[in-house]
Amino acid sequence: MKKKLLSILLICMVLVSVLGGCGKKTDDDAKDTGKDATKAPTKAAEKKDDDATHEPEEVPLPEYSEITVEVFDRGTDGGKTDPTNNYYTDWIKAKVLEELNIGVTFVAVSRWEETDQLNNLMAAGTAPDICMTYSGDLANNYRDLGGLVELSQYIESHLPNLKEFLGPDLALPGRDMIYRNMDTTTGEVYSIPARRMQVAQVSTFIRKDWLDKLGLGLPTTTQEFYDALVAFKEQDPGGVGANNVVPFTMTSDVRWRASTILESFVDPDLSTEERWVNTVIDRQYLLPGYKEGVRFLNKMYNDGLIDNQFALYKDDTDSDNLIKSGVAGSFIHNWDQPYRDTPGLLHDLQENIPGAEIVSIDPFVNSAGQTAKGLYDSAGLNFFIPATSQNVDGALRYLDWLSKFENRYYLQVGDEGVTHDIIDGIPQLKPAENEKIQNSPQNIDYTIMINGLDLGDVTKNAKALAASYSVPAEYVVKAYEDAMRDGRPAIIVPVTLSAAGPYTQTLTDKGNELMSTAVTAAPEDFDRVWDEGIAEWRASGADEIIAERAAKYAEYIASMN
Amino acid sequence: MKPKRSGRKTLLYLKRTWTLYLMLILPVAFAVIFRYLPMTNISMAVKDYNMFKGVWASPWSDPLYKWFDKAFKTKDFWLALRNTLMLNGLDLIFGFPLPIMLALLLNELAFRRYKRVTQTIVYLPHFLSWIIISGMARQLLAPRTGVVNVLLGKAGVGPINFLMEHGLYVATYIALGLWKEMGWNTIIYLAAITGINPELYEAAEVDGASRLRKIWHITLPGIRSTIIVLLIMNMGRILGSEFDRPYAMQNDLVMKVADVLSTYVYRVGIRGFQFSLTSAIGLFQSVVCVIFLFSANALAKRFGERGIW
């Protein structure tokens, strides 16, 4: 008896669970009780839309749809807000819903692991409808695998505002910037670049108050720079304790955090072709002279001038903290890095050590007597629409909406009196302390087609640039001049490359390993470590990429004649 | 005649036990759907996988063993394989006997409350993630700002580059693994020890056996089968590797000894789009693990133990 009861009970349970599963579905479909919060507004909006068609005097918006948009999560601390849910995202969501009848959801991707996370999203088919990356190779890889929407058919019809804003391509006369990533043979466009308002890239910074204390001027040669660091180490002008002084701070991203030093050792007489062909995934390791630059870093390291923990720093955080706490003497970074509100290097440093000063210098002279350094291309980050997108039309309309001056302008400068003051007709940005704080400078993480402040007027832009920082303008002007002096414009060759794709990540990692091991090698081992590392780097795919670049370059030159 | 009778027997058996089989359906369905169906994706290893097409629509690679061939010709793969074997081997050598000793020591503590507190303290690190531990390791062991090196510096020693020199990195890696897991691994031995009949100890006491004698002749034989089972399972893991531990701890200067198969697969495969290559490596890894598992089990049976199946 007992057994029978048990079996009946079991059957009932199975039946209930099976029927229960079905029941839920029919329930949702029939009644739409709004259990699913994201579903509810869809239905409501659809109804509204139906109503609208009955009243012809209202301009009918397209049917309600939803899009997802990638946004960088910079993981910055200090009162910043959730990048996917804050005052500015609310503003975008409300306005886009009203003007386009599109619901926008932001998807955070870590700025520091953007390629990893984007790869995962793309592979899983869950990538946002609008994605972006700074890596052109990555976008090319997605393109080659057939993962992106072809956009050339939409540019004239859907993206007039974007096309107008991006304007003509300065590096390739006669072409519009929106067509920068176009395949020259097929005319297909899979990604669109953002426009950089200014192309200054990198500068060198030093603690001026330390130099003053030691009676030294701003270094004007590599040797003077070196001597200043030695003086920092030996005389500890900041009084932080001889063991704590870090004359030069960098991270495991040596290539970037020592770029002005390294660049000054590269042969200045290289032809455009030599330079372009041998620059693999933006790394210049193979350019003549680069090795001597690394040797110089090796000497600095072995003389105790570089933080001996740099290889443990996988992002900027630790290095930033050294600068903020006032133990670091100099560093190399974005031309305006110490003056940005985020991470607020100078601001926090001065809070810790009143009177501390970080100024830009330009001491690294190459064999041609110039202080050469890289400049950015006027095309910046690339954005694209994954082939898995269910709402290409909505994504395009959103992009074009965002390109309208009124929208991007508000996102960039915010509210008067809160994030900017109008002085002489120029909006002067200032850091907000409340909910309207901007997570990235001028909200570049939302205004993805623009990098830098655009007021719609060249002279206004120049004035606003200097005034856009919350530090004295002379710091910014000097840093800008230093970063632009003898700057080497980016070389643009409009060919379609695809060899780098599968090797990009391996070469990036191996390159970092190469740089770290070479810098920390004993001086007598340096040549061996470097040559072995380079041989391995070449064999890991660099040679293959160089061969492709050489062939494409030759093809391009031939097509020009 | 015979088959008919056995058929009736089966029917009778089923009639009596069908409810039990009914209860099995859910767990079996779970295993099939979530364990066995995903395994079909292993076919990636013999296909030219395209992440946007999916596994089934991707073309077969030509030849089928293309990705295995490619992996076995890559220097980095052999390096990662060597490191995996080295680090897991060292983990086994140090990480296997120590928990047994610790369990024996804990078992000998007479004061019960002290024993419990000690036990809890030694297994607590198990609950910290490797991300936290690697962060702590950096705070403690970094050459310039690490507390350990600052103290060593005060004593006139060092700095010792625990995290950035090959040999020291391996030692640190193993030591941290011990610190984290040793206490936790004692639990199963302590449980086995409680299962030993106390009369044996009483009898030994009457016979005048010393503590060491009792450990040697009663406790250790009493937990022998547990030890063997755990050893077999550990052998099965010798080529499998955890991901978070090596990934969180490695840095550019020690990649030559720190890159293991799991991190290699992650770097080259997930980040570098070479999913087919890495499934091939993953498959290779699993097959070797299964071989190890079976041979350890066979060996255990040969020595008269029960094995795990």
Side-chain angles (χ1 to χ4, degrees):
Chain A
M1 194 60 209
K2 230 180 188 175
K3 220 185 235 170
K4 219 170 202 173
L5 218 109
L6 189 79
S7 56
I8 290 171
L9 214 91
L10 258 170
I11 294 171
C12 287
M13 260 168 67
V14 171
L15 278 178
V16 164
S17 64
V18 170
L19 290 180
C22 300
K24 221 183 208 168
K25 247 183 212 160
T26 49
D27 198 46
D28 260 15
D29 288 347
K31 283 197 259 169
D32 186 26
T33 46
K35 262 184 207 160
D36 190 347
T38 54
K39 245 184 180 172
T42 322
K43 298 276 156 118
E46 270 170 18
K47 265 178 218 150
K48 207 160 105 192
D49 209 48
D50 285 346
D51 292 345
T53 51
H54 294 302
E55 296 160 33
E57 64 268 17
E58 269 183 47
V59 183
L61 282 169
E63 197 172 311
Y64 175 82
S65 59
E66 292 186 345
I67 58 166
T68 46
V69 178
E70 179 186 342
V71 61
F72 282 138
D73 183 349
R74 292 176 186 262
T76 41
D77 49 0
K80 303 294 172 179
T81 54
D82 177 356
T84 64
N85 181 19
N86 56 48
Y87 172 79
Y88 296 100
T89 58
D90 287 347
W91 184 86
I92 294 173
K93 285 175 189 173
K95 202 143 187 265
V96 171
L97 185 65
E98 183 193 330
E99 295 181 13
L100 303 179
N101 202 18
I102 292 176
V104 180
T105 310
F106 287 94
V107 178
V109 166
S110 162
R111 175 70 186 90
W112 315 118
E113 294 182 325
E114 57 145 328
T115 49
D116 307 10
Q117 295 194 2
L118 195 56
N119 273 350
N120 292 347
L121 289 168
M122 293 294 279
T126 53
D129 294 309
I130 297 171
C131 294
M132 55 188 172
T133 174
Y134 278 102
S135 164
D137 287 328
L138 190 68
N140 291 347
N141 204 349
Y142 294 143
R143 176 200 65 203
D144 293 341
L145 290 170
L148 303 185
V149 172
E150 205 279 301
L151 298 170
S152 64
Q153 50 185 322
Y154 301 115
I155 285 175
E156 302 298 332
S157 58
H158 284 67
L159 299 170
N161 286 304
L162 180 59
K163 186 183 171 199
E164 191 199 332
F165 165 65
L166 292 178
D169 192 336
L170 301 174
L172 298 169
R175 265 166 69 166
D176 277 317
M177 181 95 112
I178 200 166
Y179 290 108
R180 164 61 75 85
N181 299 336
M182 181 176 73
D183 185 319
T184 38
T185 49
T186 62
E188 289 171 336
V189 175
Y190 288 94
S191 62
I192 295 174
R195 177 174 156 198
R196 277 183 197 279
M197 300 312 295
Q198 46 76 21
V199 294
Q201 185 178 58
V202 62
S203 197
T204 314
F205 298 92
I206 200 160
R207 280 285 295 274
K208 184 165 181 295
D209 53 318
W210 284 11
L211 290 173
D212 290 346
K213 204 172 256 179
L214 297 170
L216 297 168
L218 293 180
T220 55
T221 63
T222 310
Q223 190 56 45
E224 281 180 28
F225 176 76
Y226 190 86
D227 294 341
L229 296 195
V230 172
F232 285 173
K233 183 174 173 61
E234 286 172 355
Q235 301 178 38
D236 182 19
V240 295
N243 289 328
N244 297 328
V245 186
V246 176
F248 183 80
T249 176
M250 62 180 187
T251 67
S252 57
D253 192 4
V254 179
R255 165 197 72 95
W256 165 241
R257 296 297 300 268
S259 65
T260 50
I261 296 176
L262 293 165
E263 179 95 30
S264 71
F265 283 87
V266 173
D267 179 2
D269 299 325
L270 281 181
S271 72
T272 305
E273 178 179 1
E274 268 178 290
R275 196 177 257 285
W276 186 81
V277 167
N278 292 305
T279 303
V280 176
I281 60 159
D282 289 340
R283 270 63 177 165
Q284 307 181 0
Y285 306 146
L286 301 174
L287 299 187
Y290 197 86
K291 179 181 171 184
E292 295 315 304
V294 182
R295 194 194 299 278
F296 182 75
L297 288 177
N298 177 273
K299 180 168 152 47
M300 283 173 67
Y301 177 85
N302 283 302
D303 289 347
L305 302 181
I306 297 177
D307 181 6
N308 59 1
Q309 297 178 174
F310 78 88
L312 295 177
Y313 303 162
K314 291 178 185 175
D315 58 33
D316 279 349
T317 319
D318 293 281
S319 174
D320 282 355
N321 287 339
L322 293 176
I323 297 165
K324 289 176 181 178
S325 62
V327 298
S330 68
F331 61 95
I332 293 167
H333 213 304
N334 291 320
W335 73 272
D336 59 346
Q337 185 75 6
Y339 311 132
R340 293 184 182 182
D341 292 332
T342 314
L345 295 179
L346 182 61
H347 177 266
D348 290 6
L349 170 65
Q350 287 181 335
E351 236 163 50
N352 290 328
I353 299 174
E357 267 188 286
I358 299 177
V359 298
S360 161
I361 51 173
D362 191 23
F364 305 114
V365 185
N366 65 15
S367 58
Q370 293 184 319
T371 56
K373 55 195 81 70
L375 293 180
Y376 281 118
D377 175 15
S378 56
L381 136 167
N382 299 285
F383 50 93
F384 49 82
I385 301 176
T388 49
S389 168
Q390 297 298 310
N391 193 357
V392 177
D393 187 66
L396 291 165
R397 283 165 59 219
Y398 173 79
L399 281 173
D400 204 53
W401 174 88
L402 199 58
S403 310
K404 285 184 187 166
F405 181 73
E406 53 178 45
N407 296 326
R408 58 183 162 84
Y409 179 77
Y410 177 75
L411 284 170
Q412 288 212 300
V413 302
D415 284 317
E416 190 178 348
V418 182
T419 46
H420 73 275
D421 294 318
I422 301 282
I423 295 170
D424 302 333
I426 306 285
Q428 186 163 342
L429 297 179
K430 61 178 191 179
E433 296 291 336
N434 55 13
E435 44 152 33
K436 291 182 180 174
I437 193 165
Q438 296 183 334
N439 286 322
S440 51
Q442 300 117 32
N443 272 331
I444 57 171
D445 292 344
Y446 300 114
T447 55
I448 56 175
M449 65 282 301
I450 175 172
N451 189 322
L453 186 61
D454 178 40
L455 305 175
D457 180 289
V458 183
T459 43
K460 266 189 179 179
N461 282 346
K463 280 187 195 166
L465 179 65
S468 64
Y469 296 85
S470 51
V471 301
E474 64 261 27
Y475 286 156
V476 183
V477 171
K478 169 136 177 54
Y480 185 75
E481 286 171 359
D482 285 344
M484 293 299 287
R485 188 176 306 117
D486 299 333
R488 178 178 48 73
I491 305 166
I492 303 303
V493 180
V495 293
T496 304
L497 299 167
S498 51
Y503 301 116
T504 306
Q505 196 60 50
T506 307
L507 287 177
T508 307
D509 294 337
K510 283 210 178 281
N512 290 344
E513 198 183 326
L514 163 73
M515 293 299 278
S516 291
T517 46
V519 170
T520 55
E524 61 273 19
D525 291 338
F526 175 81
D527 278 304
R528 184 182 54 79
V529 171
W530 177 262
D531 294 343
E532 279 177 13
I534 282 291
E536 200 180 327
W537 200 68
R538 279 176 168 277
S540 303
D543 274 342
E544 214 173 299
I545 296 171
I546 290 170
E548 187 198 47
R549 290 174 84 89
K552 292 276 180 168
Y553 192 88
E555 253 173 55
Y556 170 67
I557 295 300
S559 75
M560 298 290 284
N561 299 329
Chain B
M1 276 314 264
K2 247 185 183 175
K4 223 179 187 179
R5 236 171 70 190
S6 80
R8 243 176 57 203
K9 237 182 175 174
T10 318
L11 218 75
L12 206 76
Y13 170 77
L14 276 180
K15 202 173 174 189
R16 230 179 27 215
T17 56
W18 68 277
T19 47
L20 293 175
Y21 280 97
L22 194 69
M23 284 168 81
L24 254 182
I25 285 180
L26 277 183
V28 168
F30 175 85
V32 168
I33 293 170
F34 292 105
R35 295 278 185 269
Y36 285 87
L37 285 184
M39 272 194 221
T40 54
N41 286 330
I42 291 175
S43 62
M44 238 191 245
V46 289
K47 283 187 157 192
D48 289 338
Y49 175 67
N50 176 326
M51 63 197 256
F52 298 111
K53 281 188 190 161
V55 178
W56 298 112
S58 299
W60 297 96
S61 54
D62 174 43
L64 277 182
Y65 56 85
K66 172 174 154 191
W67 297 109
F68 293 92
D69 194 44
K70 198 168 176 193
F72 296 148
K73 279 184 184 152
T74 315
K75 212 176 115 202
D76 292 348
F77 166 77
W78 292 108
L79 199 67
L81 182 64
R82 188 204 71 185
N83 292 338
T84 310
L85 283 172
M86 175 186 71
L87 292 175
N88 286 347
L90 286 173
D91 254 348
L92 191 66
I93 292 171
F94 292 101
F96 191 72
L98 280 176
I100 300 173
M101 291 184 214
L102 185 65
L104 294 176
L105 289 176
L106 280 172
N107 187 51
E108 295 303 317
L109 288 174
F111 186 32
R112 281 189 67 100
R113 182 172 288 172
Y114 182 74
K115 177 185 159 186
R116 272 206 214 127
V117 170
T118 317
Q119 199 185 330
T120 310
I121 290 174
V122 294
Y123 79 60
L124 270 183
H126 169 77
F127 296 100
L128 294 176
S129 88
W130 275 108
I131 305 300
I132 295 172
I133 293 178
S134 71
M136 283 165 52
R138 254 180 48 185
Q139 296 294 324
L140 293 170
L141 303 175
R144 190 172 49 81
T145 51
V147 177
V148 172
N149 271 315
V150 169
L151 290 177
L152 282 176
K154 293 238 161 87
V157 189
I160 299 175
N161 224 335
F162 291 106
L163 298 171
M164 292 188 282
E165 264 171 38
H166 289 180
L168 284 168
Y169 171 82
V170 172
T172 312
Y173 180 91
I174 299 297
L176 285 177
L178 269 183
W179 175 78
K180 182 176 187 299
E181 297 299 345
M182 189 162 80
W184 180 255
N185 290 338
T186 58
I187 290 179
I188 205 156
Y189 296 117
L190 285 170
I193 289 171
T194 40
I196 297 172
N197 190 348
E199 283 176 21
L200 291 174
Y201 291 100
E202 284 159 21
E205 213 147 310
V206 172
D207 290 346
S210 71
R211 271 198 165 198
L212 283 176
R213 281 277 149 209
K214 278 191 280 180
I215 292 177
W216 188 251
H217 289 292
I218 302 173
T219 318
L220 271 179
I223 61 172
R224 194 173 62 178
S225 55
T226 313
I227 294 176
I228 297 288
V229 166
L230 286 180
L231 186 64
I232 294 172
M233 287 168 74
N234 274 321
M235 291 299 281
R237 278 199 289 263
I238 189 111
L239 203 63
S241 41
E242 42 189 350
F243 174 75
D244 41 356
R245 178 176 173 197
Y247 186 72
M249 286 192 61
Q250 61 191 207
N251 61 64
D252 288 331
L253 290 178
V254 293
M255 287 307 273
K256 291 274 179 289
V257 293
D259 198 20
V260 295
L261 283 176
S262 58
T263 53
Y264 174 73
V265 161
Y266 174 71
R267 280 190 305 119
V268 177
I270 314 262
R271 295 172 80 181
F273 287 104
Q274 308 200 61
F275 298 101
S276 289
L277 176 70
T278 51
S279 342
I281 296 170
L283 185 57
F284 163 79
Q285 200 177 354
S286 307
V287 169
V288 175
C289 281
V290 169
I291 293 172
F292 263 94
L293 189 70
F294 273 81
S295 31
N297 196 49
L299 222 67
K301 277 187 174 163
R302 174 160 294 180
F303 285 108
E305 289 296 332
R306 273 182 50 206
I308 52 174
W309 64 81

